[in-house]
Every structure is written in structure tokens, then in C-alpha cells.
Amino acid sequence: MTADELRNELGSLIWKTATSLVHGGKVSPVQFMDFMLGSLFYRFISEDVIDYCNNLMKEAGVQNPDYANMPDEMAENARDQIINAKGFFILPSHLFINVANKAKNNPELNTTLANNFRAFEESAIGTASESDVKGLFANFNTNDPGLGGTVAERCELLTTLLESVRDLEFAKYQDSGLDVFGICYEHLIKMYALNSGTKGGEFYTPAEVSYLLAKIAASGRTSVNKVYDPACGSGSLLLKFKEILGTKNVIDGFFGQEINLKTYNLCRMNMFLHNVNYDHFDIQQGDTLKNPRHSDEEPFDAIVSNPPYSIPWDGPKDPTLINDPRFSPAGVLAPASKADLAFTMHMLSWLSTEGTAAIIEFPGVLYRGAAEQKIRQYLVANNYVDTVIQLPQNLFFGTSIATCIIVLKKNKSDNRVCFIDASNEFVHEGNKNKLSDENIEKIYDTQFNKTEIEYFSKVVTTADIEAQKYNLSVSSYVDKEDTTVEINIDELNQRIAEIVSRQSLLRTEIDELVKTL
């Protein structure tokens, strides 16, 4: 099987396992994601510690090392070393496999799990990884009434869950070099987004769109200093840089901020599950516009983001914000009812001189007037806008609108801006549209080289945009192909006359036939 076929097979396997719990009527679709993802993460960190410790013992000459069956007292001797390497510590008795194997005979399984999760978090207190580990299992409430009305019912469901995750056979996928846990995690989040309506868009950007944005922001480089997303969701955009450049080539790490506590926890889990170590990422929780958490780390070489569309923010209601160096250069704030360009200004402010920002925007950002027009004027007049890309509709979960991408740079060598109409660049997948590899390459190559293609792309100057009153809608610059069929009126009239004549003849023949009968 090819890598893609194995990846799809693995995705189907993990989804089948997850939905089996839902179909049994034991837990709601919303709850199952928290418990399934938490169990998968529990298994991952446990196996990570086992592999690390067994390799250490093997290097030290220990025959048949087996951390999973080591006495807890003996394992304590390696606590500090394990925490320094992994950012956390797990006693052998707390490992996923040992808890899962004993789950059926543990009438206090819910308490056991809660205590193990607490011990996991407490192991990082006072260390460099404390903020990366704290609250990772906050979404996995082992006493949630949704698990059952009694302790016995909760333990029964938790046993089924742990045993289901334990019995997932990953060996052949791991032998093929696949990032097994990362693939499972991404697939679960994708399927949850697909099946949960508007809620899905809160934490998941389709992988193909994430890949396109990361590729654009990487801008042909083989390495970047830092990658940043101020509305990082579950971290899918950040992690695409790992796929494109490799973790080591994101030299100083992955940085993000997320306002939603639940999604913030998912993002940190996602980093660990994709083998990004605790010392190579910094994900913070909070409102980026009001309280940005990475001011000591900016500027960033690469910024990617799919911020929430047209949400309210304090904006003009807060007189201090007009003096904020992130927003003040435009001389005006984004309207209180639409924070889109506030996010854009924030990202531009934190972009390095040599950097590239690729931002998914709500289409109204391109043409709305008043304060937003003035912000676009600032962006264009200072030659920060590099490319505007119109995406196809129905790419995202929870909305069918056709969004766009704005690419910002501070180091442009000319005043040209490329507009790309990619609204027809998609393939169908189920009830959604999807960017194919060919679609992605066409869009990327066109924006990177600023190539003009009839009915697809157009390169204009900032003066041309000024003449359009700073309207950045792609349709204002890229002509639509006229697909109407030219009709010869004379031929059409002749054809109609022939049809009428034929109808008349048929009626006569039918009348004669009726008389005969």
C-alpha cells in the first residue's frame, strides 16, 4: 500500500473506533472527542516514556529493558532525567497500558485516571515545561455525568474506551514511517469538525488549506526562525511547517495563542502528538487582541492564521487601543463589530522585515468601507500587500462562504500586487470542496512568481489599487471568462421554423390516422 492509502486506512480505523462508542449510545458525539483524544494522548505519552527509558537502559547495557514492568520505586531514580528530556514523568504503574489492562477489574477506574492525570501534571511543576503540561487533561473529566449516572456506569464506559484505544494495532503503520498518533489526532479533529456543524471551524482548518498557507509563508526558504499563529486553534497551521520544513528548520520553535481553553489544550496535545518537544513550542491561552502573550518573542519570520471571521472586539470602545503600536500606524481601528483587520494589523506588526504572513480573511475585508477602507489604504500605501487570493467556496467546516488569503510582506522589491482567482481550483470530496495537489501548486507558483494567467491572475501596481479606492476584491482586477455560447439568431429561427413545420405535419398525419380508426 502507498503512504496515502495507509494514512487513509489508519484514519478510517481510528474513526470507526471512536464512533463505536457513540453508536452504543453511551456518550454524546461532542463528549466522545474529548475522551477519545484524551485516551489517545494518554497512550502516546506513555509509550513515549517507555521507549525513552528502554533506550536509555539499553544504552547502559541493561538486558531486556522493560520500563512498563519496573517497580515504581526504581523508576523514581530516573524522574529528573525523564522530566528534563520529555517535560513530564509517568510512573510505571500509571502508564496507559497498565491502567488499561487492569481497567475491567478496577471499580474505581475513574478515580485512578484522575489521580494519574494529576500526577502527570504535577511532575512538571517548577520545571521549564510546567506551562506546556498544565491542564492537558482538563477536557478529560472522569467524573462527567455524561459518562454515566453512577460510578459503576462511568467505570464501565471508561474501561471500554481504554481497551478500545489499547487494542488499536499501529505496528504496520509505524513500520511504514507514518506519524501514527499525529495522523490519528488530525483525523479525529477533522471528522469531528465535519460532523459537528459550525463548531468544527473553531479549531480546524482543512489540511490542504493549512499546507497552502504554510507553503506561502515559508516563501521558498529552507528554514525560518519562528512560526506564529495568533488564533492557533488546534495548531494545524503551525504544524504544517513541520511537514514542509522539518521541526529542526523551524529554528526557535512554534508559537501560538488561543482564546478558547478547550481548544488551547487540544493544540498543546497536538504538538506533543506530532513529536514537537516541550522546549520547541510555546502555546498560550488568552485574547490576542487585548492581551498578546508573545511580545518578547516577536518578530516572526513566518505567520499563518485563520482568525475568527468578523467577531466583535473592544476596538473604538477602548480609547487605549488607538495608541497600541500594533494598531496605531493605520490611524484608525477596525470597527467594534468586525475584528478581522485588527488581527491583520497585529500580525503585520509582529512580522519580521524578511518575513511573510499568509492570512485567511472573510471576503468583506476586501471591499467594506469606512475604517476598514482606511486600514486597507495604509496596507497598500506602505506596500505591504503582496498577493490576494480568492479561494473556492465550501472548503471550510461550518461555513460554505468563499474566503480569501491576504499575503503580507515588509521587504517587497517593487510595488506590484498579484491577484489570483482560484475560485474554480478544487475537487469534490464528499459534500465539501478540497484543494488538490495540482490546485495548490498552481496557486503557490502563481503567487510566488507573480505570473499573469488569463482569467486566473493579474499583476497590478499599488497605484492601480489606489485608483480603485483600495478595493482588494480579486474580481475587480481578474476578468471572468465569458462562458456563454454564441448563438446565431438566423440559424435558430430557421431551426424553429423546421420544428414547427414538422409538428404541423405530424398533427395532420395523426388526424388522418384517427379518422381511419
Side-chain angles (χ1 to χ4, degrees):
M1 297 178 73
T2 66
D4 284 343
E5 288 172 337
L6 283 169
R7 178 187 291 266
N8 292 335
E9 182 181 89
L10 177 58
S12 298
L13 172 67
I14 193 70
W15 184 245
K16 181 179 179 181
T17 301
T19 52
S20 66
L21 297 173
V22 181
H23 292 159
K26 296 179 179 179
V27 64
S28 74
V30 173
Q31 289 172 315
F32 93 75
M33 188 188 74
D34 291 336
F35 298 122
M36 187 70 191
L37 291 176
S39 299
L40 190 70
F41 181 65
Y42 186 21
R43 175 175 166 176
F44 168 79
I45 59 174
S46 295
E47 292 185 3
D48 195 34
V49 167
I50 291 171
D51 290 343
Y52 175 75
C53 293
N54 286 348
N55 286 332
L56 276 183
M57 289 187 281
K58 191 178 296 181
E59 291 172 2
V62 176
Q63 297 295 317
N64 302 316
D66 187 5
Y67 183 77
N69 290 303
M70 180 184 291
D72 285 352
E73 296 76 14
M74 185 180 297
E76 283 286 359
N77 295 324
R79 175 182 284 267
D80 291 343
Q81 185 174 2
I82 295 171
I83 292 173
N84 185 58
K86 294 297 175 183
F88 53 82
F89 176 73
I90 305 177
L91 287 167
S93 64
H94 291 184
L95 293 167
F96 172 87
I97 187 63
N98 291 330
V99 176
N101 286 343
K102 297 175 182 178
K104 190 171 291 186
N105 298 316
N106 184 353
E108 298 181 345
L109 178 61
N110 61 327
T111 302
T112 297
L113 286 171
N115 290 339
N116 290 358
F117 297 159
R118 187 181 305 112
F120 163 78
E121 292 186 20
E122 289 177 350
S123 72
I125 292 177
T127 72
S129 60
E130 180 175 355
S131 63
D132 299 313
V133 170
K134 184 179 181 181
L136 279 173
F137 283 102
N139 300 341
F140 198 128
N141 180 6
T142 62
N143 287 303
D144 192 315
L147 292 170
T150 66
V151 171
E153 289 175 345
R154 293 169 195 168
C155 290
E156 180 184 0
L157 179 55
L158 288 169
T159 296
T160 302
L161 175 65
L162 294 183
E163 290 180 345
S164 296
V165 173
R166 177 199 63 189
D167 295 339
L168 287 168
E169 293 288 345
F170 289 154
K172 79 170 183 177
Y173 306 107
Q174 290 169 329
D175 291 344
S176 298
L178 292 180
D179 178 8
V180 169
F181 285 99
I183 291 170
C184 287
Y185 198 79
E186 182 174 329
H187 191 79
L188 281 173
I189 292 178
K190 172 185 175 181
M191 295 307 294
Y192 176 75
L194 183 62
N195 287 275
S196 63
T198 56
K199 292 182 179 180
E202 294 176 1
F203 52 81
Y204 184 76
T205 301
E208 297 76 24
V209 181
S210 298
Y211 184 83
L212 174 61
L213 257 71
K215 193 172 175 66
I216 290 172
S219 198
R221 290 170 291 187
T222 57
S223 67
V224 296
N225 70 339
K226 291 175 266 190
V227 179
Y228 174 64
D229 184 347
C232 61
S234 62
S236 59
L237 279 166
L238 291 172
L239 286 166
K240 282 302 170 185
F241 276 88
K242 177 178 182 290
E243 181 179 332
I244 291 172
L245 300 178
T247 305
K248 293 181 180 179
N249 292 320
V250 182
I251 300 168
D252 294 320
F254 303 80
F255 296 80
Q257 186 165 338
E258 170 57 38
I259 193 170
N260 182 285
L261 179 60
K262 180 175 178 177
T263 312
Y264 158 69
N265 291 332
L266 289 178
C267 183
R268 292 182 297 149
M269 281 188 183
N270 212 1
M271 291 291 158
F272 280 112
L273 284 165
H274 281 84
N275 289 303
V276 180
N277 208 35
Y278 75 92
D279 57 357
H280 210 62
F281 72 84
D282 183 2
I283 308 299
Q284 298 289 330
Q285 195 261 330
D287 186 333
T288 299
L289 298 180
K290 292 174 64 175
N291 186 22
R293 298 292 181 86
H294 293 104
S295 55
D296 292 337
E297 283 81 24
E298 62 98 359
F300 298 93
D301 276 356
I303 298 178
V304 285
S305 195
N306 180 16
Y309 306 143
S310 299
I311 61 168
W313 75 304
D314 290 349
K317 299 176 184 178
D318 183 348
T320 66
L321 288 174
I322 193 60
N323 296 316
D324 189 311
R326 296 174 297 160
F327 311 125
S328 59
V332 65
L333 295 171
S337 60
K338 302 176 181 68
D340 306 76
L341 289 181
F343 280 104
T344 302
M345 289 295 293
H346 165 77
M347 285 181 260
L348 176 66
S349 176
W350 285 16
L351 184 65
S352 73
T353 304
E354 300 299 317
T356 301
I359 310 162
I360 296 176
E361 303 272 17
F362 185 79
V365 168
L366 302 177
Y367 57 80
R368 290 189 297 230
E372 291 182 304
Q373 183 183 29
K374 292 179 180 178
I375 294 174
R376 290 197 304 273
Q377 179 177 350
Y378 165 76
L379 297 175
V380 173
N382 286 276
N383 201 26
Y384 294 136
V385 179
D386 181 77
T387 305
V388 182
I389 303 167
Q390 179 64 60
L391 292 173
Q393 64 181 3
N394 202 28
L395 286 180
F396 294 85
F397 301 105
T399 180
S400 62
I401 62 170
T403 58
C404 58
I405 297 173
I406 291 182
V407 182
L408 303 178
K409 293 185 178 182
K410 290 182 176 179
N411 63 338
K412 291 175 61 181
S413 58
D414 56 44
N415 67 344
R416 298 187 306 152
V417 180
C418 183
F419 288 86
I420 299 174
D421 182 2
S423 55
N424 294 318
E425 294 295 315
F426 64 88
V427 295
H428 292 292
E429 185 178 82
N431 62 352
K432 304 297 293 182
N433 293 332
K434 174 184 175 180
L435 298 177
S436 68
D437 292 343
E438 291 76 15
N439 298 146
I440 291 171
E441 286 305 313
K442 181 179 179 181
I443 296 168
Y444 172 76
D445 289 343
T446 302
Q447 70 83 32
F448 186 79
N449 297 306
K450 283 190 167 61
T451 308
E452 285 197 342
I453 301 173
E454 189 176 19
Y455 307 125
F456 181 72
S457 61
K458 181 74 173 179
V459 178
V460 304
T461 67
T462 54
D464 296 324
I465 300 174
E466 180 183 1
Q468 291 280 355
K469 298 182 179 179
Y470 303 101
N471 185 333
L472 292 178
S473 294
V474 172
S475 60
S476 297
Y477 303 94
V478 181
D479 293 332
K480 284 284 187 183
E481 184 176 6
D482 185 0
T483 57
T484 57
V485 178
E486 185 176 343
I487 299 174
N488 187 309
I489 297 299
D490 292 336
E491 290 182 1
L492 179 62
N493 287 335
Q494 182 180 349
R495 180 62 178 153
I496 291 172
E498 291 173 356
I499 293 172
V500 171
S501 176
R502 179 60 178 162
Q503 285 178 329
S504 177
L505 179 60
L506 286 172
R507 286 195 188 98
T508 301
E509 291 176 351
I510 291 171
D511 290 342
E512 291 298 324
L513 180 61
V514 170
K515 289 178 181 179
T516 303
L517 293 174

